[in-house]
Structure formats: C-alpha cells, structure tokens
Amino acid sequence: MTEPMATSATAVVKTWQMYRAMVGLGVLCGSLIVTSFLVTRATIAENRRRALDLAVRTVIPGADRIQVFVASSDGGIARGTEDNPGEERVYAAYAADGELLGVAIQGRGLGYQDLISVLYSYDRERQAVTGFAVLDSRETPGLGDRIATDPSFQENFIALDVTLDESGSELLHPIVAVRSGEKQSAWEIDGITGATISSVAVASILRESAARWIPKLNDHWESMRQGG
Amino acid sequence: MSQLDSASSEATGSMWEAGLWRENPVFVQVLGMCPALAVSNSARNALAMGLATCAVLVLSNTVVACIRSLIPRQVRIACYILVIATFVTCIDYAIQAISLDLHRALGAFISLIVVNCLILGRAESFASKSTMSAAAIDGASMGLGFTLALFMIGAVREVAGSGSLFGISLFGPNFQPWVIMLLPSGGFFALAAWLLVFAAWKERQRPRLQPLEGRAQ
Amino acid sequence: MSGPSSPILAIRTSPHLVRGSRVDWIMLQVLIALSPALVFAACAFGAAAMLVIGVSVIACLAMEALWSGSSGRTLRDGSALVTAVLYALTLPPGLPLWMVAVGGVVSIWLGKAIFGGLGCNPFNPALVGRAFLQAAFPSAMTNWLPSFSVGRFSSVPESTLALPFLRPVYDARTSATPLAAWKFDAETTDSMDLLLGLTSGSLGETSSALLLLGGLYLIARNVMSWRVPVSIGISVALVSGLLRWADPQSYASPVFMLFSGGLMLGSLFMATDLVGSPMTSRGCWLYGALIGVLVVSIRAFGGMPEGVMYAILLANATTPLIDQWIRPRPFGAPGGARA
C-alpha cells in the first residue's frame, strides 16, 4: 500500500509534505470552485431574474418591464439592484407603453413552521392590494400551504383595501385576519379553516410590510412613474 | 496493490450488485439517513438529491483514489473533506443553474451532502485503497444504490402524501392525502416499510437451516 | 370473560395492583366504567357515533386476531376491546369510517403488536392510533359535529360515509370545540355545559361528569391508581391558576381547563394505563405532574387548542426514566439507598 507512515518510524512524514498536500489541494479546489461559479453565474442570474419576472407577472398581470427600487437612506426610495440579499426591495412594473401598472412588494414573516415569503402588488389608483403570491413557505402540506393554493383565500387579494389616512403616513385600517366566512370589510382577510395560524401570519406580514412601504410608495409614486 | 487491479468483469459486476442491492447504503448499511428522510417527500426531490449525492460520490472517489499517494496519513480526513466540499459546492451551483425551484425544495440539504457519512465513508474505506477506475465504479454503484433507495422512499411518500407521482395525479382530485407521509415522520414510516420488505425478502432467501438449529438465531 | 389464569400475569408486575387480578377482569371493569360515557356519546351524536364505535371495535379486534394468530388468547382477554373503545372515544363524531378503521389498525399494530403485545407497549395504543390520524388527516380530525342536533338518529352525516381514500365532504353543521372557541375566538363556555357534555367535541370528551363517575368506580374497585389522575388535576389547576393570576385576559380559568377537552378521559383512562405509567407512588405523582404541566403549556402556548394526547404520549416516553430514577428502597436496606 501507499501509506507513507510506517508503524514505527515516526519522522517519515515531513512537515512540508503535509503542507504540500493541504496547500496544493486547497489551491486546486479553490480554483475549481471559482471556475464553476464563473461558469454558472450568468445562468443562475438569468434563472433568478426569470423567477422574479414570473412572480411579479402573477401579481401584476401585463407587466412588461420591471424596475427594482430600494429604500434609500434619506427615507425615500432609490433605484436598486438584486445584489444585496439583506435589503428589502419593491418591484415597479411598467406596461409596454411605459405606464406604471403597480408595485410589487416583497414581505416576509414567521409562519407556523418557518419564514413565509410573499409578494403582493399595490395599485395606487384603487388604493388596494390587487395581487398576492407566496414565494416561499414550509407550511404544513394540506393545511398551511393552502395560503398559496386555496382559491377562496386568493379572493381576499382581488382588492384588499389599504387606503391611507389624511396624513398619508399610516393605513386607515390595518390589515387583519378574520375567521373563515366572516369577512365584512375590504381590509379584512378571510382566514382558512384548519390553517388559522398560517392565514393570520400572512395577514400580519402584509400589515407590517404595508405599513412600512405603502406610505412611502405613495409619496414617491411620481418619481417611480418617471423612473420607468 | 489494490483488490481490483485486474478489474475483471466479474468483480465489477459484483461491485454493482453490492452498491445497488447487497450493501445498499440506505437499506442495508443505513447510512446517510439525514437526506434520506428529510428531502424524500416527493419522487422528484428524492431523485434529484440522490443524483446530486451520486455525482459528488463518483467525483470525490475518483479524485481521492487519484491523489491517495500524495496525501500524508495525518491530514487525510481534512483533504477528503476539502475534496468533497469542493464538489458539493460545484453541484450546488449546477443545481441552481438547472432549476431554482429544485434548489429551493432541496434547501440546505445540498450543502449538507458534505457531511453525508456515506461519501466520507467510501473515500476512507474504499477509494483511498483502490485504483481510480475501481473507485469510480464503486462511487457510481453506491451512489446509484443511494439514489434508488431515496427514490423508493420518495415515491411511496409522494403517492400516499399527495396522491401523485412526479407531480402527476394518480387518484383524481378527491383523493384524501395522508399528510403524515409528507412530514418528517412519514420518512421514517416509508423507510420502515421498505426495511420490512427487505427483511422479509432476506428471510425467504435464507437457506433452510437444519431442524436442530432451526429456531436458534 | 372467564378462562384459565394466563401466564401473562407473571410479567405484569405493576404495583398498582394489591391483589392478583386477571387481565380479563380488569378489562371488564374498565369497560363497565366507560359504558356511561359510551351511552352518552351515542345519545349526543346519534348514528354517527354508533358507527364510529362499531367500526373501531371491528378494526381493532380484526387486527388483534390477525396478530395473535391461532391462539386468540390476547383477543379473549378484552384488552383489544378496551383499546378500541378508548380509541373511538377520542375521535370526532363525523370522522369518515375508513379513517376510523385505519387508526384502529394503527393502534393495535404500531401501538401494541410491534412492541411485543400487551404489557410491552411503551405508549397507550389508543392514543398512538389517534396521533397517527391527527398527523395524517389533520383537517378531518378537527371537524366537529354539534351535539344533540336534530335528526341525528335518522340520518348519518355525509362525511362519515366518505369512500375509502377519498376526501370527506362536510356539511355546514360543524362547530368549534370549547377549547378551539377559547383559543381562536376567546369565547368561554359555561362550566355547567362542560360538566354535562352539552358541547361539541370528540365522542368521549364532552361529558366530564360521566367520565368522572366511571373513574370513581375504577378507583373504588382498586383497578386504577388514583394518584395519577389526582396529580394531573392538581398540576393542571396549579399551572393554569398561576397563568390566570398573572394574566387573566389571555389565559383560561383552571375550572375551564379541568373540564374541557380530553383531560378527563385522558387523565382517568389513558394516563393510568397500567403499562405506560410508572410503578412507584412517587413516580406516579411526578408522571401526573408532568402531564399536567404539558397539557397547560400546549393549550396555552402551543399552536393547537388541545394537547392532552401529546402530553400523555410524551409522559409515557418518560416512564422508563422515572422508574429508573425513583426506585423503592429495598426492605431493610440502609436509609436513602438508591440504585
């Protein structure tokens, strides 16, 4: 066999042999990783962009071009990129003729099992959330995951009221979840029987995210319209 | 030098049989349980996970066998892990490039292939003592055996848990899914069911013992 | 229920028994104690309840017969019948009958048979069956029929007769259990209704009074350790009382906690399972206290409204540990000698 170390001779393996093996292997492996990163980078970015496009188009049908915006440090919004993963982003969707159709907002929060990540659209003219999609969730199959599939739950987001109050800094009615079949006002979310926790989680994700983003989007709507 | 230098077709055939069946990593050696139970909730996920593991296993086995004479004994585990981690990272990128949905479904378990004891186990117990070609065949047979086992678990779980196979509905829209089969505990149930089948099969294969020792086991 | 004294007694060394009772005699006493609750369930939920009980008995006995093979000894001692009845009492009345059968098979097979049969099962078999159903069919297991509805004897709910492996269809007549109403809507239920069983819930959890009566009968007959239910009750009352005292707005009163849900059924008939509970008196107190704390914690802080089942199963799992830890001092041994 090729084992370099005999049972009795302790000094056979020189230190530099170990260094040679580790450093040499490290360099080789490092370059292999970098190579595969460079090879796949473009495809992965393209996949991400396509997945995002698809998600934005499901909440804002008819979107032709999508522009990323992030919250800027002075409290306003600025054009952003996909690069910084920790940053909260919104996606302005424009029609083919350049008209601003709506803004898709990404929200995250804790569900029953793990983080739920959702995308919803804001229509300023109607002052309402007009589309909703679950991007990622690990909710219980058959129960909690109905937040993504249940048709009657999706009906909540045909026109979920997010009117701002007079000052324009807060929602007039915070979004709340109610029991299944008891929705009375346009700002209430009709829950799912058997998935109470997941539907309440969706409501609180929307409530928090909307309270943060919608006043800001409202203030800067014009600049986004032109930024298209 | 190595046990398979001659690489006769008979020995190769027996290696394939060992990985796929006689020493199946999941059903016989019970190795690599973490991914086997965690991401086998659908046939597609299980197959993807199995193939990813198989690819890493073949590559790492080959490379370990290739560099085995250059690696001092004292640092061999570190070197194996380095090789394995490199290939896992590459496979991770490859899966992201193939399908983001798949990458999301498999989640952290792709990165966790690094610590799958099956891969380090084959590197240490086989590849470090064999030629490149024998190590590659061993990696492929063990990897495919792992894939087969994951697929068998995943298929059972998907059929019972969602009433479908590869996303194709089998029983119509009114099927009542057995949610437990999609939860982690369902992995244990499916694994136990297959182990039961294997045990029963082995019991029947066993040659009849002499009446005297018939009951002593 | 008579037969030759079976050698099975030799391994049932539970110290709750002060005299040598036969398995079939004990099981008969348990059945007698459960009968008022069974009759009440049939009255409150009508034909659906009777069907559920019948199917559960058939499924459990069939599985037991399959397991015990030609001897049929364990079939005749009545333990499978007790498991079947207890299991049926934990089910919601509108549950599809095919699910009842699945759970019954799981109870006997995964709950008892694979561990080696009666006396070797670490967990209460009836609860194993129910836990499996809860995890497999969560929505069907949380759909409750209202009790004492009109026409409950003449018609069977559509969901009960769902075809095997198909999703049940529920009519609008479902209602929330007191615990679910409290958890999700902060509505309390009248204590008298809870005691009499005029609420919705699983077959055997509605009438606390009748269950209590059965439990007292078993204690009087010396079949059951009174320490376990008493310590569960004390621990539930103490912990929920403490929570109530700290924040009356968000936590329910101890009375509500004691008489709602499956607590009575669980603490009297399931936690006291001779195999799954500790052997020593001190062990029983500890075991009961653990169940009580778990029940209140799951109900107050967990995602589910009810937690008696999981509390008992978890406590069952700690029983070997408790028995290891608390050992009776051998007679005549120096004081405080512990293994």
Side-chain angles (χ1 to χ4, degrees):
Chain A
M1 285 305 297
T2 55
E3 290 187 7
M5 192 174 127
T7 42
S8 59
T10 46
V12 175
V13 180
K14 298 204 178 77
T15 315
W16 75 268
Q17 276 184 318
M18 289 198 263
Y19 275 120
R20 184 189 64 181
M22 291 298 293
V23 172
L25 206 56
V27 170
L28 276 178
C29 291
S31 40
L32 195 57
I33 290 177
V34 171
T35 313
S36 65
F37 172 72
L38 291 177
V39 167
T40 53
R41 185 169 60 175
T43 326
I44 293 173
E46 174 64 18
N47 278 352
R48 289 238 164 91
R49 200 191 56 72
R50 217 181 304 152
L52 181 75
D53 263 23
L54 198 69
V56 171
R57 290 215 170 92
T58 48
V59 294
I60 308 173
D64 184 67
R65 204 171 54 76
I66 291 157
Q67 172 64 47
V68 179
F69 285 96
V70 294
S72 61
S73 49
D74 58 1
I77 58 169
R79 277 169 163 240
T81 53
E82 276 292 306
D83 292 339
N84 188 351
E87 215 168 25
E88 282 206 322
R89 283 178 287 265
V90 295
Y91 307 94
Y94 302 92
D97 59 1
E99 187 202 348
L100 179 56
L101 290 171
V103 177
I105 308 164
Q106 203 172 347
R108 286 167 115 200
L110 196 62
Y112 184 55
Q113 308 265 20
D114 203 345
L115 280 180
I116 300 177
S117 168
V118 303
L119 193 71
Y120 63 98
S121 65
Y122 171 55
D123 184 330
R124 189 187 182 218
E125 256 163 52
R126 293 163 63 192
Q127 294 275 310
V129 168
T130 52
F132 170 82
V134 176
L135 294 180
D136 194 14
S137 90
R138 304 219 178 288
E139 300 303 283
T140 321
L143 287 178
D145 73 347
R146 277 155 61 197
I147 55 171
T149 54
D150 195 287
S152 63
F153 189 66
Q154 294 292 332
E155 277 173 23
N156 284 311
F157 308 103
I158 292 173
L160 185 73
D161 182 75
V162 285
T163 313
L164 293 168
D165 63 5
E166 293 93 20
S167 68
S169 60
E170 267 177 66
L171 294 193
L172 202 54
H173 309 285
I175 297 165
V176 287
V178 296
R179 278 181 56 178
S180 176
E182 290 184 3
K183 174 168 174 157
Q184 279 163 352
S185 320
W187 57 85
E188 288 174 343
I189 293 180
D190 213 347
I192 305 173
T193 319
T196 318
I197 293 170
S198 304
S199 28
V200 168
V202 167
S204 70
I205 291 170
L206 291 191
R207 180 169 59 239
E208 262 176 41
S209 166
R212 219 153 359 101
W213 274 106
I214 288 180
K216 198 176 282 184
L217 292 180
N218 218 36
D219 289 348
H220 299 84
W221 197 260
E222 276 311 313
S223 68
M224 281 197 293
R225 180 176 273 169
Q226 257 117 61
Chain B
M1 194 169 141
S2 104
Q3 65 243 56
L4 279 158
D5 254 356
S6 57
S8 69
S9 62
E10 193 182 324
T12 313
S14 127
M15 279 172 69
W16 285 109
E17 196 208 330
L20 286 174
W21 192 251
R22 207 177 56 241
E23 289 169 30
N24 186 294
V26 174
F27 293 140
V28 179
Q29 302 183 47
V30 201
L31 285 179
M33 283 295 104
C34 171
L37 296 170
V39 287
S40 60
N41 53 7
S42 76
R44 177 169 166 264
N45 286 356
L47 208 56
M49 186 69 201
L51 289 176
T53 309
C54 182
V56 172
L57 190 54
V58 172
L59 291 169
S60 71
N61 253 15
T62 315
V63 170
V64 165
C66 171
I67 61 173
R68 69 189 192 278
S69 56
L70 299 172
I71 296 181
R73 208 181 138 67
Q74 290 88 337
V75 292
R76 69 187 193 288
I77 299 289
C79 292
Y80 299 161
I81 289 290
L82 199 57
V83 170
I84 295 167
T86 303
F87 287 124
V88 168
T89 312
C90 297
I91 295 286
D92 191 41
Y93 286 135
I95 291 179
Q96 282 190 55
I98 294 166
S99 161
L100 273 183
D101 275 348
L102 189 62
H103 189 261
R104 195 178 288 152
L106 299 181
F109 290 98
I110 300 177
S111 322
L112 285 175
I113 297 177
V114 177
V115 290
N116 191 327
C117 47
L118 171 66
I119 296 177
L120 189 60
R122 292 326 284 180
E124 167 78 358
S125 71
F126 193 92
S128 64
K129 302 166 191 157
S130 314
T131 59
M132 267 174 74
S133 60
I137 292 172
D138 176 74
S141 86
M142 285 292 161
L144 287 179
F146 186 74
T147 309
L148 179 75
L150 244 70
F151 171 72
M152 282 159 79
I153 296 175
V156 167
R157 290 179 69 182
E158 193 182 345
V159 168
S162 339
S164 60
L165 194 62
F166 288 109
I168 300 160
S169 174
L170 299 179
F171 305 106
N174 283 329
F175 177 73
Q176 164 74 51
W178 297 46
V179 177
I180 192 172
M181 294 309 286
L182 295 181
L183 302 177
S185 47
F188 286 97
F189 281 114
L191 178 66
W194 279 118
L195 288 179
L196 201 71
V197 171
F198 269 67
W201 177 76
K202 262 191 212 153
E203 197 64 38
R204 289 182 58 177
Q205 290 297 103
R206 179 177 300 172
R208 288 267 163 251
L209 298 171
Q210 296 300 311
L212 255 182
E213 358 173 293
R215 279 166 180 269
Q217 286 181 13
Chain C
M1 283 282 178
S2 69
S5 165
S6 62
I8 217 168
L9 271 181
I11 50 168
R12 291 179 57 88
T13 55
S14 200
H16 316 314
L17 305 176
V18 285
R19 58 184 166 162
S21 320
R22 289 206 313 266
V23 174
D24 50 11
W25 183 82
I26 296 175
M27 295 303 167
L28 182 65
Q29 300 309 310
V30 177
L31 284 178
I32 292 173
L34 282 173
S35 54
L38 271 180
V39 172
F40 180 82
C43 293
F45 299 107
M50 294 182 216
L51 281 172
V52 167
I53 295 169
V55 169
S56 127
V57 167
I58 293 170
C60 287
L61 290 188
M63 195 61 213
E64 183 77 26
L66 203 68
W67 177 257
S68 64
S70 54
S71 77
R73 192 189 69 214
T74 55
L75 189 60
R76 280 198 300 274
D77 68 18
S79 62
L81 191 61
V82 167
T83 298
V85 168
L86 280 176
Y87 160 68
L89 287 177
T90 64
L91 298 177
L95 193 70
L97 295 177
W98 70 267
M99 292 185 190
V100 177
V102 166
V105 168
V106 169
S107 291
I108 299 291
W109 190 44
L110 288 185
K112 198 166 85 169
I114 59 163
F115 292 109
L118 184 64
C120 304
N121 47 311
F123 301 104
N124 184 303
L127 287 181
V128 171
R130 190 194 196 276
F132 183 86
L133 287 189
Q134 178 83 56
F137 313 114
S139 59
M141 288 297 283
T142 44
N143 246 305
W144 312 93
L145 290 180
S147 57
F148 297 104
S149 60
V150 182
R152 62 187 183 279
F153 290 109
S154 53
S155 71
V156 175
E158 205 178 336
S159 60
T160 302
L161 299 176
L163 289 173
F165 303 107
L166 293 189
R167 202 190 297 270
V169 182
Y170 285 94
D171 41 24
R173 296 190 301 159
T174 58
S175 67
T177 63
L179 276 170
W182 167 71
K183 176 137 204 147
F184 299 124
D185 304 318
E187 285 169 16
T188 49
T189 312
D190 187 48
S191 309
M192 209 56 204
D193 282 355
L194 288 174
L195 200 60
L196 294 178
L198 305 177
T199 60
S200 76
S202 71
L203 292 182
E205 74 177 24
T206 58
S207 174
S208 305
L210 292 176
L211 289 168
L212 215 50
L213 195 71
L216 287 176
Y217 171 80
L218 284 189
I219 291 169
R221 282 283 191 161
N222 221 347
V223 169
M224 181 175 88
S225 157
W226 55 270
R227 292 180 186 87
V228 172
V230 167
S231 74
I232 293 175
I234 292 176
S235 133
V236 166
L238 271 182
V239 180
S240 61
L242 211 64
L243 287 177
R244 178 80 166 177
W245 174 73
D247 185 358
Q249 288 302 309
S250 28
Y251 300 111
S253 72
V255 176
F256 178 77
M257 279 289 197
L258 278 176
F259 292 105
S260 60
L263 190 68
M264 278 299 149
L265 183 67
S267 64
L268 289 167
F269 293 96
M270 290 167 177
T272 52
D273 186 298
L274 296 176
V275 192
S277 53
M279 288 194 264
T280 55
S281 305
R282 274 195 301 162
C284 282
W285 286 108
L286 186 61
Y287 168 82
L290 178 66
I291 294 179
V293 171
L294 285 172
V295 167
V296 178
S297 314
I298 296 175
R299 284 183 181 178
F301 310 114
M304 297 162 295
E306 175 61 312
V308 171
M309 170 178 74
Y310 293 116
I312 295 177
L313 287 174
L314 281 171
N316 278 162
T318 66
T319 292
L321 197 66
I322 293 175
D323 278 338
Q324 181 84 21
W325 191 32
I326 299 177
R327 287 193 180 172
R329 191 161 61 91
F331 185 67
R338 218 181 248 175

